[in-house]
Amino acid sequence: MLEMLRSVARFISEKIGWHRIGFALSVIIIVVAAVVLYRMLRGIDLNEVYQALRATDARDFWLAALFVAFGYFTLTFYDLFALRTIGRKDVSYPTAALAGFTSYSVGHNVGASAFTGGAVRYRIYSAHGVSAIEVAKICFVAGLTFWLGNATVLGLGIFYAPEAATAINHLPEWFNRTLAALTIAALVVYVVWVWVRPRAIGRDGWQVTLPGGPLTFLQIMIGIVDLGCCAAAMYLLLPDQPHINFVMLAVIFVSATLLGFASHSPGGLGVFDAAMLVALWNFDKEELLASLLLFRLLYYVIPFAFALAILGAREIIKGMFSNSVPQLGNIAGDVIAQHAKEASDQKPSNVDGSRQ
């Protein structure tokens, strides 16, 4: 079986290409979401949506805004943790906070966050002597924190309330609970694996030493707090009736967010919304749509506007007082120079010490 899986993976890699598979899956997710969204919103009354927006409790709105703000504050620790993991203790928290907030705000809204967020990070970190390869490592460790948090929330949440996952994927509850148990087991195995001794992945200059057991727990907690804040904001914006418990909403919210992330559409637009509308079918459509619009305003639009304003002001100030920030076009040159240096260092030497 293992050999067969390897053969399939080799065939896809050589004949098709994983990037094409990923692109096809993104297109499929977006098309399906668009069809679902059209069918569900076909008879929507925009006047009722407007009335639902006006009827939203101001206290709930501002409390949701506070949770969103705390969620973005938590995101800054993704970068700080990643910097400390790769050994860049010289980069301060304010710099990590700036890079974390702006990269996630831009990445969330523009889409393809691995590339757009990485470009923003490089623009900021390069002024502090962080190379493109180190930025790639930061993105990897931050992404690992994100996925560990998601896996933990979904694993524990679906095991406790498998009907929440069933509302989205329409699979039997016992099947979803089994998947949740396997996810939890995989997390335990991973934590034990990194706890036993230091683990490193990658080669040469791209090698990253994974956080050990205690630090992995810290990683997971950062991810849980981030997702918990976002889910709490969505929970506060939902209509009061019908009642839904927080764990169910968290599972639905995180699942819908991951579907949006997998689609690579800007802000998961259409995909996230379709998943939420499908899973929360028992809510009034107009009221639920109003809640989703308010959440988008708080989580996507406002932070994006702030991030663009901050980045714009930073570029103006840097342009006026310093020329130390390299252009984004230097990323490739940075990588090539790094590899050239490593290759030069690894060349064998003659007896007299000269290079061969």
Side-chain angles (χ1 to χ4, degrees), residues 265-307:
S265 66
L269 189 62
V271 180
F272 168 79
D273 312 273
M276 293 292 287
L277 286 163
V278 168
L280 301 174
W281 58 269
N282 51 337
F283 281 81
D284 179 82
K285 289 182 183 179
E286 285 79 8
E287 291 183 349
L288 181 55
L289 183 58
S291 299
L292 292 173
L293 289 173
L294 288 174
F295 180 79
R296 282 199 170 278
L297 174 67
L298 291 175
Y299 192 75
Y300 291 99
V301 178
I302 294 177
F304 187 46
F306 270 115

Side-chain angles (χ1 to χ4, degrees), residues 151 154-156 158-159 174-190:
L154 287 179
L156 295 176
I158 294 175
F159 189 82
W174 66 266
F175 186 81
N176 283 323
R177 180 165 275 162
T178 302
L179 286 178
L182 291 174
T183 301
I184 295 170
L187 283 169
V188 171
V189 170
Y190 175 79

Side-chain angles (χ1 to χ4, degrees), residues 50-285:
Y50 175 70
Q51 294 301 324
L53 286 170
R54 293 193 60 182
T56 302
D57 190 297
R59 179 177 172 276
D60 288 341
F61 177 83
W62 290 112
L63 193 55
L66 186 62
F67 272 112
V68 168
F70 194 77
Y72 271 98
F73 171 68
T74 306
L75 281 177
T76 65
F77 290 99
Y78 280 50
D79 274 52
L80 183 66
F81 184 89
L83 283 163
R84 299 301 179 261
T85 298
I86 68 170
R88 290 305 304 260
K89 297 181 180 180
D90 57 306
V91 181
S92 65
Y93 170 73
T95 301
L98 174 64
F101 171 71
T102 54
S103 64
Y104 280 109
S105 298
V106 172
H108 284 160
N109 285 273
V110 177
S113 57
F115 301 102
T116 54
V120 173
R121 280 191 173 102
Y122 182 80
R123 185 66 177 170
I124 294 171
Y125 285 133
S126 58
H128 299 270
V130 180
S131 69
I133 293 177
E134 288 176 317
V135 171
K137 292 179 181 181
I138 291 168
C139 291
F140 169 77
V141 177
L144 181 62
T145 304
F146 171 79
W147 285 109
L148 286 173
N150 276 274
T152 304
V153 170
L154 287 179
L156 295 176
I158 294 175
F159 189 82
Y160 174 79
E163 63 274 17
T166 299
I168 289 184
N169 60 25
H170 299 287
L171 294 173
E173 291 184 13
W174 66 266
F175 186 81
N176 283 323
R177 180 165 275 162
T178 302
L179 286 178
L182 291 174
T183 301
I184 295 170
L187 283 169
V188 171
V189 170
Y190 175 79
V191 172
V192 171
W193 183 65
V194 296
W195 201 306
V196 172
R197 62 184 177 86
R199 306 286 184 175
I201 60 173
R203 297 178 59 185
D204 301 328
W206 297 91
Q207 190 175 76
V208 177
T209 300
L210 297 173
L215 287 177
T216 298
F217 276 123
L218 178 59
Q219 262 187 303
I220 291 172
M221 287 307 301
I222 292 172
I224 290 175
V225 172
D226 168 37
L227 294 169
C229 287
C230 298
M234 187 74 252
Y235 186 75
L236 285 165
L237 295 172
L238 284 177
D240 294 331
Q241 297 298 328
H243 176 71
I244 181 173
N245 69 62
F246 179 73
V247 174
M248 280 197 65
L249 185 277
V251 170
I252 292 170
F253 173 84
V254 173
S255 301
T257 300
L258 288 181
L259 282 173
F261 181 81
S263 72
H264 295 293
S265 66
L269 189 62
V271 180
F272 168 79
D273 312 273
M276 293 292 287
L277 286 163
V278 168
L280 301 174
W281 58 269
N282 51 337
F283 281 81
D284 179 82
K285 289 182 183 179

Side-chain angles (χ1 to χ4, degrees), residues 33-62:
V35 172
V36 170
L37 205 57
Y38 170 76
R39 290 180 177 176
M40 296 200 71
L41 300 182
R42 186 166 44 186
I44 206 79
D45 188 329
L46 293 179
N47 185 56
E48 288 189 23
V49 175
Y50 175 70
Q51 294 301 324
L53 286 170
R54 293 193 60 182
T56 302
D57 190 297
R59 179 177 172 276
D60 288 341
F61 177 83
W62 290 112

